[in-house]
């Protein structure tokens, strides 16, 4: 298990790196925030890039996140925090 | 016109005697004439390919019609066969005989692109093809859905990255989606190309290789464009892919299909309008 706050900070940093527009827009990213076009605005390639970068950073595979349910910031953080 | 042919007859002929099927459709298209094919007249072809003579444009328009007819029959055959896919006789040009490995193999919605699967089945190992189609694929081609929603597309992209990093091939049809993707020059106009293939190349540092299928009478010939090296610049790669498509279409204008001429002519009009306004 990793510190959830630390993981959240890292995931936010990765989001800002992959999608600078999100960071520039000052969008508040909370657990319920959906990554996709309907909320945070990422397209499918950007979503995959964020997950790939997190996978590399945390050395944790992401298959469980790809079950077809909408990806939220909280789900991603929980996954890499080991929750 | 294939709607009026019994599906079972198309599948049977495609399986037992593809040259008879596609050769007959060639004869049929000449008998009916290019006027039967919506929108693609010799005038429209000449507008897209101004270097063609009137006779060449007329011949290309007839080829567009014949190609469309045969391509629709091929789609019917592939969509209604559960055993080995019934491809036409496919000749592989020397340019496509040795593909880099791994590679992001791409093609466009021109010509009998479904026949490219015949080339894919000769590749070593598994080939991932993120698609949404009802076609029967060769056994080594894993078609995964990537067209339903965003989550599915992200999952397909992730799996494609994983496959490429493991040394396998990925095959993608490059979609042209107005308002999305990268706008690149083509035949005096422009088209928007979806980024997926070029993003894969950027992330995995794997080259992109365009493949083109064209009808040569009742058979299909597959050729490859120049390898597009990974360079971290998706726009540059998309531009190179469009150049390869342009070279293919300039050499074989009869394979342009119905949609692309409209897209190119409209893009030229938009560009002219913008210049007039500025």
């Amino acid at each position: 298990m990793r510190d959830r706050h630390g993981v959240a900070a890292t995931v936010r940093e990765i989001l800002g790196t992959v999608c600078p527009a999100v960071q520039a827009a000052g969008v508040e990213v909370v657990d319920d925030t959906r990554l996709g076009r309907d909320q945070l605005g990422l397209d499918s390639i950007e979503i995959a890039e964020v997950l790939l970068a997190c996978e590399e950073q945390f050395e944790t595979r992401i298959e469980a996140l790809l079950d077809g349910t909408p990806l939220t910031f909280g789900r991603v953080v929980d996954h890499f925090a080991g929750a | 016109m294939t709607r009026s042919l019994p599906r079972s007859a198309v599948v049977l002929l495609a399986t037992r005697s593809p040259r008879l099927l596609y050769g007959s459709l060639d004869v049929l298209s000449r008998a009916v004439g290019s006027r039967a094919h919506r929108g693609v007249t010799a005038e429209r072809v000449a507008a897209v390919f101004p270097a063609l003579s009137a006779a060449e444009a007329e011949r290309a328009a007839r080829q567009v019609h014949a190609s469309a007819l045969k391509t629709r029959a091929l789609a019917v055959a592939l969509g209604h066969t559960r055993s080995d896919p019934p491809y036409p006789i496919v000749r592989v040009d020397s340019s496509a005989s040795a593909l880099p490995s791994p590679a992001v193999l791409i093609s466009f919605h021109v010509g009998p692109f479904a026949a490219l699967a015949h080339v894919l089945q000769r590749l070593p190992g598994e080939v991932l093809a993120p698609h949404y189609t009802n076609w029967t694929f060769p056994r080594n081609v894993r078609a995964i859905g990537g067209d339903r929603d965003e989550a599915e597309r992200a999952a397909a992209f992730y799996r494609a990255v994983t496959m490429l990093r493991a040394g396998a091939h990925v095959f993608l049809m490059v979609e042209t989606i107005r308002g999305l993707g990268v706008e690149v020059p083509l035949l005096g106009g422009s088209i928007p190309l979806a980024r997926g293939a070029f993003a894969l190349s950027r992330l995995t540092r794997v080259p992109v290789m365009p493949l083109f299928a064209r009808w040569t009478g009742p058979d299909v010939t597959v050729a490859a464009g120049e390898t597009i090296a990974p360079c971290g610049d998706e726009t540059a790669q998309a531009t190179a892919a469009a150049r390869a498509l342009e070279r293919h279409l300039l050499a074989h204008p009869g394979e342009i299909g119905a949609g692309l001429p409209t897209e190119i002519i409209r893009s030229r009009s938009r560009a002219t309008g913008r210049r007039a306004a500025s």
Side-chain angles (χ1 to χ4, degrees):
Chain A
M1 292 273 288
R2 297 186 177 94
D3 167 59
R4 199 181 188 278
H5 284 298
V7 169
T10 302
V11 176
R12 278 200 184 86
E13 197 177 309
I14 288 172
L15 269 170
T17 303
V18 173
C19 313
V22 168
Q23 196 166 52
V27 176
E28 190 189 9
V29 181
V30 296
D31 278 356
D32 289 344
T33 305
R34 289 188 298 278
L35 301 188
R37 282 211 178 274
D38 65 335
Q39 209 158 35
L40 201 56
L42 276 63
D43 65 23
S44 56
I45 293 175
E46 288 164 334
I47 291 172
E49 276 200 71
V50 167
L51 295 179
L52 283 161
C54 289
E55 187 178 70
E56 191 176 322
Q57 175 70 34
F58 298 110
E59 296 178 334
T60 303
R61 298 295 295 253
I62 64 166
E63 275 87 352
L65 283 172
L66 302 173
D67 59 0
T69 51
L71 278 165
T72 62
F73 179 76
R75 273 192 69 210
V76 175
V77 172
D78 284 341
H79 179 80
F80 291 107
Chain B
M1 185 174 298
T2 47
R3 280 192 287 274
S4 62
L5 289 173
R7 182 189 304 160
S8 55
V10 171
V11 173
L12 183 68
L13 281 174
T15 306
R16 300 267 181 93
S17 186
R19 277 193 167 144
L20 178 59
L21 170 65
Y22 299 113
S24 300
L25 290 174
D26 259 334
V27 172
L28 198 60
S29 74
R30 279 197 294 274
V32 172
S34 61
R35 279 190 298 262
H37 187 56
R38 187 182 48 182
V40 186
T41 59
E43 291 74 25
R44 185 159 277 258
V45 170
V48 177
F49 301 103
L52 294 180
S53 67
E56 288 168 336
E58 181 65 45
R59 185 163 59 246
R62 288 199 301 272
Q63 286 169 343
V64 169
H65 179 226
S67 175
L69 200 57
K70 290 181 285 188
T71 299
R72 282 202 295 273
L74 175 59
V76 166
L78 292 177
H80 296 91
T81 306
R82 289 297 162 256
S83 57
D84 290 335
Y87 299 116
I89 308 295
V90 177
R91 305 169 197 280
V92 180
D93 184 83
S94 57
S95 61
S97 59
L99 302 178
S101 184
V104 181
L105 305 173
I106 65 169
S107 195
F108 302 85
H109 288 276
V110 293
F113 53 86
L116 292 173
H118 174 85
V119 172
L120 302 183
Q121 74 181 358
R122 292 157 44 148
L123 292 172
E126 201 171 41
V127 179
L128 190 75
H131 288 290
Y132 181 61
T133 176
N134 66 336
W135 296 341
T136 301
F137 281 95
R139 290 189 182 90
N140 71 319
V141 176
R142 180 151 56 114
I144 61 172
D147 218 26
R148 287 199 175 95
D149 60 29
E150 202 165 61
E152 190 168 312
R153 287 196 298 275
F157 189 88
Y158 169 78
R159 291 192 176 100
V161 168
T162 306
M163 292 275 290
L164 288 167
R165 285 177 175 167
H169 289 89
V170 168
F171 173 70
L172 283 173
M173 296 298 296
V174 180
E175 305 293 337
T176 57
I177 308 168
R178 184 56 58 191
L180 293 176
V182 185
E183 194 84 18
V184 292
L186 182 73
L187 293 168
S190 65
I191 53 168
L193 295 185
R195 304 173 45 208
F198 314 112
L200 282 174
S201 177
R202 174 175 58 80
L203 286 170
T204 60
R205 298 190 190 88
V206 162
V208 174
M209 168 140 273
L211 295 176
F212 301 103
R214 69 179 192 274
W215 289 103
T216 40
D219 302 339
V220 169
T221 298
V222 172
E226 278 185 23
T227 305
I228 303 169
C231 64
D233 184 340
E234 292 179 25
T235 302
Q237 287 192 301
T239 302
R243 267 202 307 271
L245 174 60
E246 179 163 310
R247 277 195 289 270
H248 171 71
L249 292 175
L250 286 172
H252 310 286
E255 296 295 339
I256 194 168
L260 207 47
T262 303
E263 182 69 40
I264 290 166
I265 291 168
R266 279 185 188 156
S267 69
R268 290 177 186 169
S269 299
R270 280 195 300 271
T272 303
R274 281 196 296 269
R275 280 195 295 271
S278 64

